[in-house]
Every structure is written in C-alpha cells, then in structure tokens.
C-alpha cells in the first residue's frame, strides 16, 4: 500500500476551501443530511478522509462530489461549522482543472459544457438555448425524444410567456469588458494555483 | 416610498421561467410603495453550478461586476434580489470581498479590465427580508382587502432562501416566516414537514430521475396535509415542482395537479390586485383554487 502524501497538501492549498478538510472530525452529519445520499459511493465525510489518506485518483475521478444539489444542509448542520458545500464544490472544480473528472458525468457535463458556456456567451442565461443544448448533447435522436417527453411542459411555458420562442439572445452592452474581466479572473486563478 | 437597488436575475427576464414571480413582485411593490431601481446591464450571478466552469475568481467576478455597476449607478443603497440563487451568490461574494483582502484585490484587478471597481459596503437583501424587516407583519396584514379565508396552503421554503444565511434569524430546520406570510393573507398554512427539503435544484436538468424522486416527496407531503396550492420564494423550486409534475405523474405513478405559486402572488391577490396583477395567468398548472377569491 502506498500513500500519495502530496495529495492532501495539494487539496489544502489549491482547491477552494480545501484547507478546511483538516478540521473535519469524521462525525458524518453531512452524510446523513445530503438529499442525494442514496446515490453516491462516498459521503463528504469519507471523501475528506480519503483526501487525508492520499487517495488522489479515487477522489478526483469520483462522481460523488458532482451529486451536490447546493442545498446547504451540510453547511448549516456541521458541528464544526465547516463550509462543506463549498469544499465539495472546490473538490469538483479541482478534479475538473486536473483533467480527472469524468467528461460524461451528467452534472459535470451540464455545469461545464452547457451552463458556463451559455452564461459567458452573452452575459446572461439564455434558458431556451440552455435547454436545447442540454437535450441535444447526445445527438438529434436523443434530443427529439427528450423534447417530446417535455412537450406539454414546454408548450405550457410558451403559452404562459415563460419561455422565449426565439432561443437566441443578445449580448449585454458591456460584453467586451465582461469577457476581458473573466479572462483576467481566470488568469489570476491560475496564478493562485501555481503559487500554492 | 422606499427605494432599493434591484437585481432581478436571468429567470425574471421577460419571457423567462420566473416571469410570473417578477410580474407579481412588481405589482406587490406598486401596492407597498417600493421603488426598485434595476441595475443597468447586469449579468448572470453564476447560480449554484457556476463553480464547476468558473472556479472561484471568475465565478465571483460575475457578482462583483453587478456590485460595481450598482455602486456606480446607485451608490451604496441596499441591493434587493428576488431569486434565491442570486441572493446567495451576491451575498457570498460581498462577504468574501469584505473579509478576504486578496480576493478583493484580485477581483478588482479583474474588474479594472471592464473599467470598474468595487470596494464592498453594499448590503444584499432578499425581497422577503424587505417585507418582514422594513414593513413588518402588521403593515402586511393591514393591506389585506380580500382575505383568502379557507384556502389551504403549503409553504415550501426550499433550500437557498433558508440556508446558509437564513431569513431574519428564523430556524434552518423549521422556519416560520412563509407560514406567517400565508396566515397574513388570511389563508391557512397546513403542516408541512417537507418545507425545507431539497427539490434537486439545478440537478433536475442533469439528474432528472433522481431529482424527480425528491420533488415527488415534497408534492406528496403537501397533498397529504390537505394543501390546495403550494407557495415558494424560489424560482428553481417553483419550476421543478410545477413543470416536472407531468413527468413525475408519468414515471412515478402519481396523479398530482397542484398549482405552485409565489408568496408574492398570494399577497397581491389578497391586497385586492387582479388575477393579471398577481400574474396568475402565467401558471402552467392553472391556479384554480384561487378563482373563488378573484
């Protein structure tokens, strides 16, 4: 058995809120508070212990942290007041930047490939385009099928003026500055990681 | 007349999924004498899943830009958000700007690329906090001209209007403010043990089957307790509970047909506003139980 002793150090320094993992006392309240607890392999408590034990691949390739619905139950219940929701988000993002996250993990795919691209394309969410991109990510056939499943809802939304019939939307006025700002923020984020 | 800086967020735009929330909130503010000064050229707050594509600095730069525009256009007036995720993201960003100097410095370096800067000091508030703290229960009750007597309502608080920040010091596990709002309109708040359970949030899009099970349990609890309608302050909760009812019925063998409304719609109707003012014509599942009060 070999332990990767650098992994915990990397997480403490490079993952958002990762240093808080040191404070976890392994009580498991987070595990019992998670709405999708039936669907992960490792609870937050277990993931934190795996970080300490140096299980780099098991943690970063795991689907577990992508199951977070951002309900913040774990954050308000943690007896040590660890920002667990944010630590889980930080681990997911760290897995993504390390190229370890499974590209097919459904929430990773939605969040990174669809949602972030959608909001940075114009500055605001384009709901119609977001839904279309999501539905058609596995090809035309799958997209049409998913569209048909949700047909009644979509028609209801259109009829009540809660869905734009035109999926394309304009950019915010300050879009040039907006993209430059995001590029600079991404550059600083990288520097922060390299320095750590 | 009370004035606030206003950040509506993407789902409150014209022809967007929470247009019924936005329209009823505008009516509610007209009746109360609230002037909402919308930030010009605001952008998305990054919502709850922006962390994955954006990391921490790009994600928080989104909210920082909104604060910078707000400060430039409206000074340090309180900023009101109506969407749970917007309120949370903006509050979190402001808190980190005010307590972590290197985050503040880096975000301002990024903002400078857009010709902007932000030094903190804008308080972000949820619309329900404005109602409770700046108007108060007596004032909200005094507006009622058409009490919704006998209407049975389940108050679904959900997650992000409740955790991690809480509303007016209310409990995380059993908050009372939404039930109090129901009672303030003359309606009856039914017991609702699932009032703070998660509907799946944004994972309704990516993990639809798993999230439908969560949503089903919430709907079932409301129906079992005799609710005719459910109200919520959150646009994602409203969307998941209303728009996925058909799919839940089909895949999980239920037979739900319960309208999902916003607290603002109940207030507007009970304060004498029309069906249209309360945006009740914008419900996918028609708000039939409210017809008797219109």
């Amino acid at each position: 058995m070999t332990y990767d002793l650098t992994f915990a150090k990397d997480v403490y320094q490079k993952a958002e809120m990762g240093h808080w993992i040191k404070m976890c006392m392994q009580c498991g309240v987070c595990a019992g508070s998670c709405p999708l607890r039936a669907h992960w392999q490792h609870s937050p408590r277990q993931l934190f212990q795996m970080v300490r034990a140096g299980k780099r691949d098991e943690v970063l390739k795991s689907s577990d942290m992508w199951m977070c619905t951002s309900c913040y139950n774990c954050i308000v219940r943690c007896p040590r007041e660890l920002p667990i929701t944010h630590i889980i988000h930080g681990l997911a993002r760290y897995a993504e930047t390390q190229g370890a996250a499974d590209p097919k993990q459904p929430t990773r795919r939605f969040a990174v490939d669809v949602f972030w691209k959608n909001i940075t394309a114009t500055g605001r969410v384009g709901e119609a385009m977001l839904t279309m991109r999501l539905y058609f990510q596995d090809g035309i056939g799958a997209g049409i099928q998913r569209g048909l499943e949700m047909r009644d809802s979509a028609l209801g939304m259109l009829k009540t003026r809660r869905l734009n019939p035109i999926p394309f939307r304009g950019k915010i006025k300050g879009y040039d500055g907006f993209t430059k700002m995001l590029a600079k923020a991404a550059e600083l984020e990288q520097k922060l990681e390299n320095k750590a | 007349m009370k004035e606030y800086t206003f950040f509506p967020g993407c789902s409150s735009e014209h022809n967007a999924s929470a247009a019924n929330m936005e329209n009823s909130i505008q009516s509610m503010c007209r009746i109360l004498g609230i002037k909402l000064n919308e930030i010009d050229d605001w952008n998305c707050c990054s919502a709850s899943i922006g962390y994955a594509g954006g990391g921490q600095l790009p994600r928080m730069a989104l909210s920082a830009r909104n604060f910078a525009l707000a400060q430039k256009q409206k000074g340090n007036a309180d900023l009101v958000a109506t969407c749970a995720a917007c309120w949370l993201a903006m509050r979190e960003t402001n808190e980190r700007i005010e307590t972590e100097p290197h985050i503040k410095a880096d975000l301002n370096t990024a903002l400078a690329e857009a010709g902007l800067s932000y030094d903190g000091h804008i308080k972000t508030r949820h619309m329900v906090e404005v109602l409770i703290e700046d108007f108060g229960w007596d004032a909200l009750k005094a507006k009622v001209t058409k009490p919704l007597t006998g209407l049975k309502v389940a108050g679904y608080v959900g997650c992000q209007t409740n955790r991690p920040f809480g509303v007016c010091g209310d409990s995380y596990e059993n908050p009372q403010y939404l039930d109090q709002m129901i009672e303030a309109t003359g309606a009856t708040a039914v017991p609702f043990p699932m009032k703070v359970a998660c509907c799946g949030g944004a994972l309704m899009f990516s993990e639809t089957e798993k999230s439908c099970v969560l949503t089903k349990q919430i709907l079932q609890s409301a129906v079992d307790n005799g609710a005719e309608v459910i109200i919520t302050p959150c646009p994602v909760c409203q969307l998941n509970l209303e728009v996925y009812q058909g799919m839940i019925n089909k895949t999980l063998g239920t037979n739900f047909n319960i309208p999902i409304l916003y607290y603002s719609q109940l207030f507007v109707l009970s304060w004498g506003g029309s069906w249209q003012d309360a945006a009740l014509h914008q419900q996918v599942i028609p708000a039939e139980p409210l017809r008797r009060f219109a």
Side-chain angles (χ1 to χ4, degrees):
Chain A
M1 185 107 185
T2 53
Y3 289 113
D4 178 356
L5 298 173
T6 60
F7 180 51
K9 204 174 145 203
D10 281 349
V11 169
Y12 297 159
Q13 293 180 338
K14 295 177 181 175
E16 182 174 359
M17 301 287 163
H19 63 280
W20 287 102
I21 291 176
K22 291 185 245 182
M23 289 274 292
C24 172
M25 65 178 182
Q26 294 287 298
C27 73
V29 166
C30 51
S33 302
C34 179
L36 287 184
R37 59 188 167 274
H39 302 287
W40 30 248
Q41 202 184 349
H42 306 289
S43 67
R45 176 191 74 79
Q46 286 174 318
L47 285 175
F48 299 165
Q49 198 67 346
M50 286 158 69
V51 167
R52 290 163 168 172
K55 297 192 177 293
R56 185 183 293 267
D57 281 357
E58 289 94 323
V59 171
L60 295 184
K61 290 186 174 161
S62 159
S63 198
D64 300 330
M65 54 270 194
W66 297 101
M67 291 287 166
C68 175
T69 65
S70 304
C71 79
Y72 294 84
N73 252 330
C74 52
I75 235 178
V76 299
R77 288 184 182 165
C78 175
R80 288 208 165 167
E81 297 183 18
L82 269 65
I84 297 182
T85 313
H86 297 297
I87 303 172
I88 295 295
H89 292 175
L91 282 176
R93 171 67 186 170
Y94 186 58
E96 174 63 21
T97 59
Q98 297 302 297
D102 174 6
K104 292 270 185 198
Q105 207 293 331
T107 300
R108 191 223 69 94
R109 212 171 164 205
F110 174 57
V112 179
D113 299 342
V114 180
F115 182 79
W116 186 255
K117 279 187 188 152
N118 183 282
I119 63 172
T120 52
T122 64
R124 293 183 188 176
V125 174
E127 290 180 341
M129 186 57 93
L130 183 79
T131 313
M132 276 173 56
R133 282 269 147 80
L134 174 75
Y135 284 11
F136 286 92
Q137 63 182 351
D138 291 314
I140 303 254
I144 290 173
Q145 198 191 330
R146 198 146 177 211
L148 283 174
E149 281 168 15
M150 290 303 287
R151 183 186 47 197
D152 292 346
S153 300
L155 288 175
M157 300 282 284
L158 277 172
K159 235 168 48 189
T160 54
R161 296 178 182 269
R162 288 166 57 194
L163 181 64
N164 201 327
I166 305 149
F168 303 100
R169 62 165 307 140
K171 291 174 175 150
I172 56 171
K173 286 180 282 179
Y175 187 71
D176 278 353
F178 172 84
T179 48
K180 283 184 198 150
M181 170 192 80
L182 285 181
K184 178 57 85 178
E187 182 195 315
L188 292 170
E189 181 114 325
Q190 200 118 40
K191 254 188 215 159
L192 211 70
E193 278 180 11
N194 292 340
K195 198 169 66 186
Chain B
M1 182 72 79
K2 287 186 163 69
E3 287 196 38
Y4 303 90
T5 300
F6 182 43
F7 175 45
C10 304
S11 64
S12 285
E13 285 195 283
H14 186 57
N15 272 333
S17 57
N20 49 344
M21 178 176 81
E22 166 65 6
N23 290 335
S24 58
I25 279 179
Q26 290 295 344
S27 300
M28 193 177 77
C29 289
R30 263 196 307 276
I31 298 172
L32 281 176
I34 293 177
K35 188 160 178 274
L36 296 175
N37 301 312
E38 183 172 336
I39 302 168
D40 181 45
D41 211 37
W42 54 265
N43 54 257
C44 172
C45 71
S46 86
S48 47
I49 51 168
Y51 69 85
Q56 60 179 336
L57 287 176
R59 179 186 92 232
M60 285 195 287
L62 295 177
S63 291
R65 181 176 177 275
N66 289 330
F67 277 121
L69 291 175
Q71 200 160 53
K72 196 169 151 188
Q73 296 164 11
K74 335 270 182 202
N76 285 351
D78 284 1
L79 185 153
V80 172
T82 46
C83 165
C86 295
W87 177 60
L88 199 161
M90 295 289 284
R91 242 184 104 157
E92 184 207 348
T93 300
N94 193 64
E95 215 163 77
R96 293 192 60 185
I97 285 173
E98 289 184 354
T99 57
E100 296 177 51
H102 71 280
I103 292 284
K104 181 178 178 177
D106 283 351
L107 286 177
N108 273 290
T109 307
L111 281 172
E113 295 287 314
L116 294 166
S117 69
Y118 177 58
D119 67 354
H121 311 300
I122 293 181
K123 192 173 172 191
T124 307
R125 303 175 68 197
H126 194 285
M127 180 56 82
V128 299
E129 294 179 302
V130 169
L131 296 183
I132 298 166
E133 293 170 345
D134 297 5
F135 288 85
W137 296 111
D138 290 342
L140 300 177
K141 282 178 201 161
K143 290 276 176 201
V144 175
T145 56
K146 212 192 291 171
L148 309 179
T149 312
L151 182 73
K152 290 182 182 163
V153 186
Y156 178 48
V157 178
C159 298
Q160 296 187 353
T161 321
N162 182 34
R163 299 180 299 263
F165 295 119
V167 163
C168 308
D170 210 336
S171 150
Y172 294 130
E173 303 290 344
N174 186 16
Q176 301 298 312
Y177 78 86
L178 202 55
D179 290 346
Q180 284 174 274
M181 284 186 171
I182 293 167
E183 303 278 343
T185 67
T188 305
V190 302
F192 190 32
M194 298 294 277
K195 66 163 78 160
V196 296
C198 178
C199 70
L203 268 67
M204 186 57 96
F205 290 96
S206 54
E207 296 280 10
T208 309
E209 280 176 35
K210 297 178 179 78
S211 300
C212 276
V213 172
L214 300 180
T215 297
K216 182 212 157 197
Q217 291 165 349
I218 295 160
L219 293 167
Q220 191 69 58
S221 170
V223 170
D224 287 350
N225 283 288
E228 298 170 85
V229 301
I230 298 175
I231 64 160
T232 178
C234 171
V236 174
C237 296
Q238 198 283 336
L239 191 71
N240 286 352
L241 264 62
E242 184 183 49
V243 170
Y244 285 87
Q245 262 184 58
M247 180 178 271
I248 289 166
N249 286 339
K250 215 180 288 173
T251 57
L252 298 172
T254 49
N255 194 23
F256 298 124
N257 186 33
I258 184 165
I260 315 295
L261 311 170
Y262 291 102
Y263 65 98
S264 45
Q265 295 179 292
L266 279 200
F267 274 135
V268 170
L269 199 66
S270 73
W271 293 347
S274 69
W275 195 260
Q276 204 87 4
D277 292 337
L280 288 164
H281 60 299
Q282 292 191 286
Q283 298 302 120
V284 174
I285 296 174
E288 290 309 322
L290 269 68
R291 283 278 178 204
R292 61 186 193 263
F293 305 103

